[in-house]
Every structure is written in C-alpha cells, then in structure tokens.
Amino acid sequence: MHLYIHIPFCDSKCGYCAFFSKVNQNSLITPYFEALLKDLKYQIQYFRIKNISSIFIGGGTPNFVDHNFYNKIFEYLIPFCIKDCEITLEANPNLLTKEWLLHLKKLGLNRLSLGVQSFFDDKLAMLERNHSKKDIIYAFEIANKYLDNVNIDLIYDCKLDSKDRLEQEISFATNLKVNHISAYSLSIDSNSRFGEQKRYDLQSLNGFGSFIRECLSDYGFKQYEVSNFAYTNKCKHNLGYWRGDEYIGVGASAVGRIKNIRYQSLANIHKYINNPLYKKEEYLSKKDLEFESIFLGLRSEVGVNKNLLDSKKLNIVINEGLCYEYNCRIYSNDFFLADSLSLYLT
C-alpha cells in the first residue's frame, strides 16, 4: 500500500503551478495538521492498512511548515510501515535547513525531493521561483551530508532554454551527487496563473525532451518513465502508481484509489479542516482501470498486459519498432510517444 499526504502551504505561488497550494495561510497550519491526523487515522483503520511500502509528502511546500508539526503524523504512521518503506518529502531549496532535515530524518525521512527547476537565475525568475542558484548549492551542502537518496526536479522547454544551457543544467545537477532526476516539459495549464494570463510565449517550441534524455543517459541516468530518470534508487512510490497499485490520499485535494473507487478530499483548506473525512467518490469500470493501466504502463518501464491491446494494431507498432514484447507484456521503445500509442492501441 502507498500513502500520499498533501501539504498545501507555500511561501509563494509559482506562475506555472497548477497544484492545490495556498500562500498567506499560516494561521491554518495548526488546525490543518489536526484535521490531517484525523483523516489519516480514519483511513488507516477503515481500509485496514497494515503494510505501507511508500509515503510521499508533497504540496505545496512541506518544508514551509515547521518540523514539529510532523511529529504526531510519523508517530502514528511508522508502526504501519514495512521495514524498508520509502519516505519522501518535497522541499524548496531556499527553505531547507539542517535542523528541519535532521528532525525529519529522525522521524523516518529517507528520500528528499528538491524543487530546483533550474540553475540559472534568469530562468528561475521567469518561472517565478523564490530561490537562486546560491540557495540550491547551500541546500545540497545540507542534503548530501545527511541523505543518500536525493531527487531534484528540473523544468525544460522554456523560452530561455538552449542545448548549451540545458547541458549546463544537467552538468550542475549531476555534480551535486543526485541519484534521481525528474525532468518536466514546461506546461501552461489553464488553472495556473500563467494559464489564466495565456503566457504561452514562455514555452519553447523546440521540444528538448529527446535531447534531455540523451544528456542524462551520458551521465548514467536511465529513463524509466516519461519524466523520471534514475542513476540509482528508482522512486518506489511513483512505480506503485504506474503499476496500478492501490493507494490512499490524505489532506486537502488529495486523491486515493482502493479497488475500483477513486476518491478525493475537499480542495479547500477551510472546508477540509471542518470536514476532513468527506470524500468525493468516483466509481471506475473495468474498462476505466484497463485504460489507465495501458496509459501508465506504456509511459514507463512497467509495460502493459498484451491481452489488453488490439492485436492487429499491436503487430503494426511492433513491426515498426515502436514497441516490443517480453513475457507477454508490451513495452514502448520511446516513452515520449506513449500517449499516442495508448490511444492507437485501444
């Protein structure tokens, strides 16, 4: 079983961010964590959770919140975790401190995901990030000293990107001794501030995905999903999603899925605090679940059960070298084509 916990508080809201997060809501942190614990306890007991194999605490900005707020959460959770449970927290470089990291490590943290996004200050300013390259270097002085499992997020396909600059980005990243990189093409979503402003001019039209993959491969990072590259330590939590494992979601706007029911908490901090146990449910058909397994499987090394795909079309894409078969499962030769393949093969 996998667990996602959402922390919606931030010190600033980036223009491209479409996730549920809020600024200037510090007065709600205490009641939010009280509601969070209530929600967590109820779901653990209701679903009879015993063996949690991964925990991912995202946001928002989890390290915007004082480390002591996590004490009761971890004290309750740890007895339900397997021995080698992967426990990840997201963090922003400008807010990372030695005290915060050591406290969370003592509680159980063993994987850190830093929202670096870029090593160029002009690109960080364009993305409305609240940190600088200097902040990143300082954060890694702390992270590399106390943790062996560190991921960074990078964003590419910005108007300021060029092959030369992206090569420098990757060189900076690999010199920081990270073992995992999540690289995302800049997306201007309609419910982000950039989307509302129609700032599509911020995107590059060049499409640097294949170039990023080649550069990371040169440094020994293997692509195992569209946006995820591992030198060592693939993310167990994300692999669980792509395999179609069940997971529970705790916190405002958090999503979970148990069997054929997907549910979501209220996407409003005040309403969530008042009613943390309310969940909007969506019943998934067998066809829904099968399509999700195809869509997620072809985007990653997980692959897809051969029997779920159109056999005639499958022979065509295999003959054209777009996919291959191994042990009755189908795998994409290029994860960047996975969405088109999914639609074609179903």
Side-chain angles (χ1 to χ4, degrees), residues 46-225:
Y46 181 79
F47 294 120
R48 299 179 181 178
I49 305 301
K50 294 181 179 179
N51 299 308
I52 299 174
S53 57
S54 74
I55 299 171
F56 195 103
I57 302 178
T61 309
N63 68 321
F64 175 73
V65 176
D66 184 86
H67 53 69
N68 286 310
F69 281 101
Y70 293 98
N71 293 348
K72 291 182 179 179
I73 299 292
F74 278 91
E75 286 170 8
Y76 180 75
L77 272 178
I78 293 301
F80 298 97
C81 295
I82 65 174
K83 185 178 180 180
D84 60 346
C85 180
E86 176 191 85
I87 302 178
T88 304
L89 271 87
E90 291 183 330
N92 278 356
N94 58 308
L95 299 175
L96 188 68
T97 65
K98 174 183 175 181
E99 181 184 18
W100 186 91
L101 184 63
L102 288 179
H103 189 91
L104 268 295
K105 183 179 179 182
K106 186 177 180 180
L107 292 178
L109 166 72
N110 52 35
R111 184 176 186 268
L112 186 70
S113 182
L114 277 168
V116 169
Q117 316 310 351
S118 177
F119 293 90
F120 289 106
D121 286 338
D122 59 347
K123 183 174 170 181
L124 289 168
M126 187 201 80
L127 294 171
E128 300 184 353
R129 296 296 293 175
N130 222 15
H131 64 265
S132 65
K133 181 181 177 181
K134 183 178 179 181
D135 294 323
I136 297 170
I137 293 172
Y138 177 72
F140 270 93
E141 287 178 359
I142 300 170
N144 285 151
K145 187 173 182 179
Y146 299 107
L147 281 179
D148 297 322
N149 197 356
V150 180
N151 167 70
I152 67 168
D153 290 345
L154 292 177
I155 292 179
Y156 64 91
D157 282 346
C158 303
K159 69 175 184 179
L160 294 176
D161 286 336
S162 65
K163 287 187 175 181
D164 180 63
R165 280 170 63 105
L166 289 173
E167 282 181 327
Q168 291 183 60
E169 300 256 41
I170 292 170
S171 177
F172 286 141
T174 53
N175 284 335
L176 292 172
K177 299 179 182 178
V178 297
N179 53 21
H180 191 284
I181 294 175
S182 297
Y184 302 100
S185 175
L186 176 63
S187 175
I188 308 297
D189 296 315
S190 60
N191 57 333
S192 67
R193 187 164 60 253
F194 286 164
E196 293 171 353
Q197 298 169 348
K198 301 189 184 303
R199 293 300 312 275
Y200 304 111
D201 60 303
L202 298 178
Q203 294 174 299
S204 169
L205 300 178
N206 292 316
F208 288 109
S210 296
F211 179 74
I212 289 287
R213 178 173 57 197
E214 292 171 9
C215 289
L216 286 170
S217 178
D218 289 341
Y219 285 94
F221 284 79
K222 179 184 177 182
Q223 185 186 35
Y224 68 108
E225 191 266 348

